[in-house]
Amino acid sequence: MTMTLLGGRVSAQSGLESIAAEAERLDQLRSLVVHQDGHRLFAEAFRGPALDQPANVKSVSKTIVALLTGIAIDRGIIDGPNQRVLPLLGRAPFGDIRDTLTVGHLLAMQTGLGSTSGENYGAWVSSNDWVEYALDRPLVGQPGGRFIYSTGGWHILGAVLSRASGQSLHQLARDWLGDPLNIAIPPWVTDPQGRYLGGNDMAISPLGLARLGDMVLNGGQIDGRDVVSQAWLETSWQPRARSPFSGDQYGYGWFLTRYAGHQAAYARGYGGQLLVIVPDRKLSIAITSDPNRPARSDGYFGDLQLLVERIVADQPSAEGQAW
């Protein structure tokens, strides 16, 4: 196994040599990349595709769609989180509380609509119109109420972005994120209407995922280019709901927690896909895993959380931005 530390070998003093050994023992884990202040501390593909090859990051896609939403707001393509969804889709009112559904409700998974994820996912993606199916789900709460994990809401949001911009979600991801970050975002799954799936199955390389984290840590800039506003990132990291599964808070596309006492935000995908941002350590940590095996909080995902905790605890402080 080769290990990279700023172009050299990982030293015992870095704390990453033992962490690398621990990571290698996790048979679901495919890659680990650790950047600090834009510098690569560690990068290794333990198994699976190479570090520069796109990997299915599953529901990390939700966080990417949240970033695209922020860029659309920055550019005036949509007004903001309080804009109502149905007019943006060109859809007639339902005549019930669905008519009050906003972009912000989609971003925070507070739609009040029944979930399309988990046991409901198969029926949803087998339907003739994924957007309509997600909108037609039974009301099980109020918009702006409790956290209901559902990929369907993100697909609605992707359709909103595409219709408002006149471009496909893939084109937006490539133009607004891929090009300025110099990372590949290949086409992925589409619905029966040809709309790219919002919130799942996007692919990005482990190195690209860590670079995305660098951009976020740098206030939305990369190589002197503005990608997304710092104001949007700060808005995204405001707690709005709480996951009943992990207990972590949730903002706009980001789970919010602490590692080793440090505030952090993370994007999580099925199977153990992770992008972790720790602002006051200036750490961007990207993890890809087997996308076909579950990663439960009391199992493999818990192991990943402990691994991230160790990485954060073992790295020296870096002057970071305040939350």
Side-chain angles (χ1 to χ4, degrees):
M1 181 181 69
T2 58
M3 296 179 286
T4 303
L5 174 62
L6 300 179
R9 181 174 174 78
V10 172
S11 67
Q13 288 80 11
S14 73
L16 287 172
E17 191 169 64
S18 62
I19 288 169
E22 182 180 333
E24 190 172 25
R25 285 194 293 270
L26 299 174
D27 67 355
Q28 284 182 237
L29 192 147
R30 290 186 170 178
S31 72
L32 171 64
V33 181
V34 182
H35 287 184
Q36 187 172 44
D37 200 15
H39 300 291
R40 187 169 301 159
L41 297 185
F42 179 85
E44 178 66 26
F46 297 95
R47 52 192 68 84
L51 290 171
D52 61 353
Q53 294 302 302
N56 188 339
V57 294
K58 305 298 286 186
S59 286
V60 172
S61 306
K62 294 175 171 63
T63 308
I64 294 173
V65 173
L67 288 169
L68 294 175
T69 304
I71 296 170
I73 293 170
D74 291 341
R75 296 182 179 211
I77 293 170
I78 57 178
D79 293 341
N82 293 328
Q83 192 166 6
R84 292 197 175 185
V85 169
L86 296 186
L88 284 168
L89 291 171
R91 197 198 185 284
F94 278 91
D96 59 25
I97 58 173
R98 270 176 277 236
D99 297 345
T100 68
L101 191 65
T102 67
V103 169
H105 295 147
L106 298 175
L107 285 163
M109 290 200 269
Q110 294 176 295
T111 64
L113 297 168
S115 177
T116 62
S117 293
E119 63 184 11
N120 303 314
Y121 192 84
W124 173 52
V125 296
S126 298
S127 68
N128 293 326
D129 189 321
W130 298 359
V131 170
E132 283 299 311
Y133 187 99
L135 284 169
D136 285 337
R137 294 293 291 158
L139 287 162
V140 294
Q142 298 282 333
R146 64 186 176 92
F147 179 93
I148 301 171
Y149 190 92
S150 179
T151 300
W154 291 94
H155 189 59
I156 295 169
L157 183 54
V160 163
L161 294 176
S162 182
R163 188 174 188 273
S165 67
Q167 296 182 306
S168 73
L169 193 62
H170 174 238
Q171 190 70 44
L172 296 179
R174 191 171 64 182
D175 291 351
W176 293 356
L177 291 175
D179 287 352
L181 272 68
N182 194 27
I183 57 178
I185 303 178
W188 66 99
V189 178
T190 58
D191 71 8
Q193 286 68 43
R195 294 171 296 220
Y196 283 90
L197 173 56
N200 197 15
D201 285 339
M202 295 175 72
I204 186 171
S205 72
L207 294 178
L209 196 59
R211 184 163 167 80
L212 185 72
D214 291 343
M215 180 273 293
V216 171
L217 282 169
N218 199 39
Q221 294 183 333
I222 197 82
D223 297 336
R225 296 183 62 177
D226 293 327
V227 179
V228 63
S229 67
Q230 174 66 34
W232 176 253
L233 296 174
E234 291 173 355
T235 296
S236 299
W237 292 333
Q238 293 174 14
R240 300 173 192 280
R242 187 178 295 276
S243 167
F245 310 108
S246 66
D248 289 334
Q249 293 180 311
Y250 196 74
Y252 282 164
W254 294 93
F255 291 95
L256 308 171
T257 191
R258 285 179 175 272
Y259 293 107
H262 299 274
Q263 288 182 301
Y266 68 90
R268 174 182 178 180
Y270 182 87
Q273 325 309 322
L274 270 177
L275 173 62
V276 179
I277 307 296
V278 188
D280 70 357
R281 288 286 207 237
K282 290 194 175 181
L283 283 170
S284 169
I285 303 167
I287 294 173
T288 63
S289 304
D290 186 338
N292 299 309
R293 295 170 63 181
R296 298 182 177 87
S297 295
D298 59 353
Y300 174 61
F301 184 71
D303 294 336
L304 292 183
Q305 292 285 66
L306 291 174
L307 185 69
V308 171
E309 182 95 6
R310 281 198 58 196
I311 293 170
V312 175
D314 288 353
Q315 297 314 302
S317 297
E319 184 182 348
Q321 58 197 12
W323 280 46

